[in-house]
Amino acid sequence: MARAREKPVTARPPAAGVTLWRRIADDLERAIAAGDIAAGEKLPGETEIAARFGVNRHTVRRAIAELAGRGLVRAARGSGTFVEGGRLAYPISARTRFSEIVGTAGREAGGRLVASRLEPADGAIARRLKIPKGTPVVRLDFVRSANGVPLSAGTTWLPAARAPDAAKIYEATGSITRVLAAAGISDYRRYSTRVTAAVADAIDAARLDLSPGRPLLVVESVDVTPDGKPITTSTGRFAADRVELMVEN
Amino acid sequence: MARAREKPVTARPPAAGVTLWRRIADDLERAIAAGDIAAGEKLPGETEIAARFGVNRHTVRRAIAELAGRGLVRAARGSGTFVEGGRLAYPISARTRFSEIVGTAGREAGGRLVASRLEPADGAIARRLKIPKGTPVVRLDFVRSANGVPLSAGTTWLPAARAPDAAKIYEATGSITRVLAAAGISDYRRYSTRVTAAVADAIDAARLDLSPGRPLLVVESVDVTPDGKPITTSTGRFAADRVELMVEN
DNA sequence: TCAAGTTGTCTAGTAGTATAGACAACTTTC
DNA sequence: GAAAGTTGTCTATACTACTAGACAACTTGA
């Protein structure tokens, strides 16, 4: 909405396969994520939003229904539509542990293993882990959440030879640190982090309980043991509406 | 495509305001951005893609037309559809200079000042620069490009008292380093960087020559002088299709 | 208590999306 | 050179999105 104030988003460019209601829902969600409308505050009325976007009120209703369906807002007949529940600040440092970050923010860390398998490392994973292409790696696909709200969907690969029981341990504990400890690796640190952004496709949308097309932070990282040898590489896809990355120099 | 292989994206969840063709276009773009299909390589044929997604070939054609319209692919009748172009690796370190990064990648750095003005620092900017709210700051809105392709649209704020001629010098040189040198500040470094993601709205789409809805990396940063005092703060919006951020620990 | 404002529901018509089939124009392979 | 494969174009139909209008049910403020 802050941007809408400086230039009306009603100046709609040609449709790019995204319905009007979806665009309005995204804009409202964006305003909420930006803190323009805080939790507990009321959205403008349907007729006002319709006027701002230059669309029919029904279209706005469709957008709000979407947000309500996602638990971002709650509509009350006669009163208005109210915003429910902020972004977690996620520091990227040499020693970043999900459960610590979430715990520090006063939320309860959770997650689940979606899938796991032993597979040969393809070119990209092999390069990241500095192993020959085709080397067996354990692949863990998981979703991480805070207070039950999914924050990221990710995949971690680690050399099977170094952590053959990775999947079983991760399924039981949900912790890479535990997986590595069981493999005799008590210390590791972040070596590199590569950040890009994407929009959620159908799979991520389902895993992260997002609408397709919502922005994601895509974080590819490599962790090394004290001798500098890569021990894991991961790709995490964070819901940008729920998480922001912090880099401290 | 790698994802399509492991679980069919044809398992479509309920439509969430995003057309099929858009979803397919996004999936193809994602595969391209992930390097699954490198520049110069050929996409699978329309009939194959249609079979994979369980949609009509025309729907695939619509998706490919979208990607072609954005210059990501080029279709050749009889031959197939080919991938064009790469992302610039953009390191985030204490001493990051746009022109150096672009030059190192063998591209020619460019850019233009879109707007500039003297304004009172609002709450957020004041906090970032550790100055009283309302203190006059110079605001510079600019677009940066490599080889003429826009990479980021951004805004930099700096205390007017320290660099009163900032706008004039930036307009002439396109360099913050030059602006600060003229103000007698020969050394500064990155203090903090905060990364999130968004989708391009109409304004950024126009400035970055993107389709609205494309993913952006949003980078908020603060630079300090050797005495630790904030000297500039910036917000940059990078086209995620063209730039990836690198964090070295 | 009443008026104004707000969300909720119903009916109806038009434009865009998705599907389907067919054929044309071109490239690649044998 | 012929067959197979690939993109390009045309016509047609069914479904969804978007618009419009109207009224119901509820809340809020004077």
Side-chain angles (χ1 to χ4, degrees), chain A residues 223-235:
Chain A
D223 290 338
V224 293
T225 43
D227 62 359
K229 201 171 179 78
I231 186 59
T232 73
T233 184
S234 305
T235 298

Side-chain angles (χ1 to χ4, degrees), chain B residues 95-244:
Chain B
R95 295 178 186 279
T96 305
R97 303 291 184 265
F98 180 78
S99 52
E100 281 176 33
I101 294 163
V102 171
T104 300
R107 303 186 200 184
E108 182 184 357
R112 63 185 171 94
L113 184 66
V114 174
S116 67
R117 66 174 183 253
L118 192 66
E119 70 184 16
D122 66 20
I125 299 302
R127 275 192 297 278
R128 292 198 215 172
L129 290 174
K130 291 183 173 158
I131 53 175
K133 188 174 172 184
T135 306
V137 289
V138 178
R139 172 189 175 127
L140 306 172
D141 290 312
F142 50 83
V143 173
R144 288 176 172 152
S145 53
N147 285 355
V149 177
L151 299 184
S152 71
T155 302
T156 289
W157 293 267
L158 54 172
R162 301 198 67 176
D165 296 325
K168 189 161 52 164
I169 295 166
Y170 190 83
E171 176 149 29
T173 66
S175 165
I176 292 290
T177 300
R178 294 263 178 93
V179 168
L180 296 178
I185 297 157
S186 56
D187 194 19
Y188 67 104
R189 66 177 174 86
R190 177 61 48 84
Y191 171 68
S192 74
T193 306
R194 171 175 164 177
V195 183
T196 185
V199 290
D201 63 15
I203 294 179
D204 284 332
R207 286 182 181 167
L208 296 171
D209 193 20
L210 287 175
S211 299
R214 293 310 297 152
L216 300 180
L217 284 164
V218 181
V219 180
E220 293 177 7
S221 57
V222 175
D223 290 337
V224 294
T225 43
D227 61 0
K229 201 172 179 77
I231 185 60
T232 73
T233 184
S234 305
T235 298
R237 298 180 296 282
F238 294 80
D241 293 327
R242 301 179 188 145
V243 177
E244 63 191 13

Side-chain angles (χ1 to χ4, degrees), chain A residues 158 163 169 175-186 188 223 231-232:
Chain A
L158 54 174
I169 296 166
S175 166
I176 292 292
T177 300
R178 294 263 178 93
V179 168
L180 295 179
I185 297 157
S186 57
Y188 66 105
D223 290 338
I231 186 59
T232 73

